[in-house]
Amino acid sequence: MSGLVKPLPALYVVYVLRSTVRPGSIYIGSTPNPPRRLKQHNGEAKGGAVRTSRDTLRPWEMIVLVSGFPSSTAALKFEWALNNPHLTLHIPKEERITVATQRKRNGMPRRKPHSLKSVIPNVHLLTSVSSFSRWPLNVHFFSQDAHKVWKDWSETRETAVATSPTILTDFGPSAGDASTTPWGIHALALDYSPMKEYIEKAHNVTSFERQGQCIHCSKEMQPEQGLYAMCPNDGCEAMGHIDCWSKHALAGDEPGAIIPTSCKCPACSGEIRWGDMMKELSLRTRGTKEVEKLLRKKKRAKKDS
Ligand SMILES: [Zn+2]
Ligand SMILES: [Zn+2]
């Protein structure tokens, strides 16, 4: 039940953890708060996984993150599949990279230990299979060698461009750069602040009941009588019935698709990621508290670049 009333999470990631002491030791987990979770793995905060508690492997670093999951359950599914690439039904048998070579005592197939060369290709594979490719996923690289494995692997694969995840890299300040600007997992927004302007414009339109007519069917949208989604693009206030948006988006999608991935806004012609629009809508309809908190925060002065 709580799954129905909670808004979509601000951030929830699946991460690849690597020992800085023994780079062959790799661990996969998930969290809404990567900096806090890393502290736990490194023994600087309470609560961490037993497997990462050995002093000989600490400190750990997070080298790859996958974000953009529509729910924490979705992230947990992905985490499980990435931890069990030899078992998951999300990967068709003939496409598996990791296969079981042995069996455990209980008869379950055992996989080889994770390595960069198995985990990265499996992230690539999982973000492209139909169960996960429809989500607006991002893959963040904080280590150059992990990114290189990804690039080398990608070159050997035919990729369906339409469903590729967004790739983000941040390798930190270069040697000799004394800047103290946060980078990597410390530069991630853990709240809804990256969506603030979008949330604010939709909030203003609906609280002043300025919905007007549906951008698709031109019918009047009565306040509080339906789910009205708004275009996320800067300066565009195109709003419409969720069903109308969905029909519009699916018309341009592959046949048989049930959940849209993206569409073009009929008002501003900008590209819309379906997941972004649903995140705002879920927050507006189920996250009153979160919205109030976000809009109460003083606008930070924008830094001149
Ligand atoms: Zn409509
Ligand atoms: Zn628009």
Side-chain angles (χ1 to χ4, degrees):
M1 240 176 93
S2 63
L4 290 172
V5 293
K6 271 198 217 153
L8 300 180
L11 184 74
Y12 212 101
V13 307
V14 173
Y15 59 85
V16 179
L17 194 70
R18 177 169 71 178
S19 163
T20 56
V21 188
R22 276 200 5 221
S25 290
I26 301 236
Y27 177 90
I28 291 160
S30 66
T31 179
N33 189 330
R36 190 183 61 201
R37 189 76 185 124
L38 183 62
K39 274 190 178 166
Q40 292 176 328
H41 284 302
N42 284 334
E44 296 159 8
K46 273 195 181 155
V50 178
R51 285 185 41 210
T52 59
S53 64
R54 267 190 291 161
D55 281 335
T56 49
L57 296 177
R58 285 173 173 167
W60 296 86
E61 57 177 349
M62 285 184 180
I63 53 170
V64 179
L65 294 185
V66 183
S67 68
F69 296 100
S71 65
S72 49
T73 318
L76 292 176
K77 269 189 203 164
F78 190 92
E79 179 194 353
W80 193 88
L82 189 56
N83 257 322
N84 298 280
H86 59 310
L87 297 176
T88 179
L89 298 176
H90 294 294
I91 305 176
K93 256 205 169 111
E94 61 277 13
E95 285 179 36
R96 279 186 192 159
I97 303 161
T98 306
V99 290
T101 47
Q102 287 174 299
R103 287 191 176 268
K104 293 188 197 172
R105 261 187 226 140
N106 64 8
M108 287 296 282
R110 181 200 298 275
R111 62 161 166 77
K112 280 194 186 155
H114 290 312
S115 72
L116 212 53
K117 290 220 155 88
S118 68
V119 170
I120 304 286
N122 278 321
V123 171
H124 190 278
L125 190 57
L126 283 173
T127 52
S128 69
V129 297
S130 58
S131 353
F132 300 121
S133 67
R134 306 192 67 81
W135 299 339
L137 298 180
N138 311 298
V139 186
H140 310 243
F141 290 94
F142 303 130
S143 129
Q144 305 219 15
D145 57 337
H147 185 233
K148 188 173 183 316
V149 175
W150 174 276
K151 275 195 300 185
D152 292 348
W153 176 258
S154 306
E155 276 165 20
T156 68
R157 315 292 292 183
E158 281 178 43
T159 45
V161 177
T163 55
S164 291
T166 305
I167 306 300
L168 303 159
T169 58
D170 183 358
F171 305 132
S174 48
D177 183 346
S179 89
T180 52
T181 319
W183 69 277
I185 60 167
H186 304 286
L188 294 169
L190 304 179
D191 61 8
Y192 297 97
S193 54
M195 295 175 63
K196 184 171 176 175
E197 280 170 26
Y198 179 22
I199 290 165
E200 197 160 30
K201 80 176 176 185
H203 175 81
N204 288 345
V205 164
T206 48
S207 44
F208 293 104
E209 303 188 350
R210 292 197 282 111
Q211 287 92 333
Q213 295 177 339
C214 172
I215 188 75
H216 303 284
C217 72
S218 305
K219 285 198 189 108
E220 204 66 35
M221 292 180 287
Q222 299 301 330
E224 316 278 340
Q225 291 200 2
L227 291 172
Y228 312 129
M230 183 182 265
C231 172
N233 295 319
D234 274 355
C236 182
E237 292 192 351
M239 209 168 208
H241 300 103
I242 181 84
D243 290 345
C244 291
W245 274 111
S246 173
K247 261 183 228 156
H248 164 73
L250 286 174
D253 211 321
E254 57 195 71
I258 301 164
I259 304 163
T261 45
S262 66
C263 67
K264 213 170 213 177
C265 171
C268 70
S269 303
E271 207 57 44
I272 298 174
R273 292 209 299 184
W274 190 256
D276 294 341
M277 203 156 67
M278 291 309 104
K279 202 165 174 182
E280 186 282 317
L281 183 60
S282 90
L283 204 57
R284 179 154 36 94
T285 51
R286 310 173 197 158
T288 319
K289 257 192 255 163
E290 285 87 347
V291 170
E292 277 173 9
K293 197 174 146 199
L294 186 69
L295 299 186
R296 227 186 297 130
K297 272 189 196 165
K298 266 194 183 167
K299 266 190 185 164
R300 266 183 248 149
K302 274 187 186 163
K303 272 188 227 157
D304 288 23
S305 51

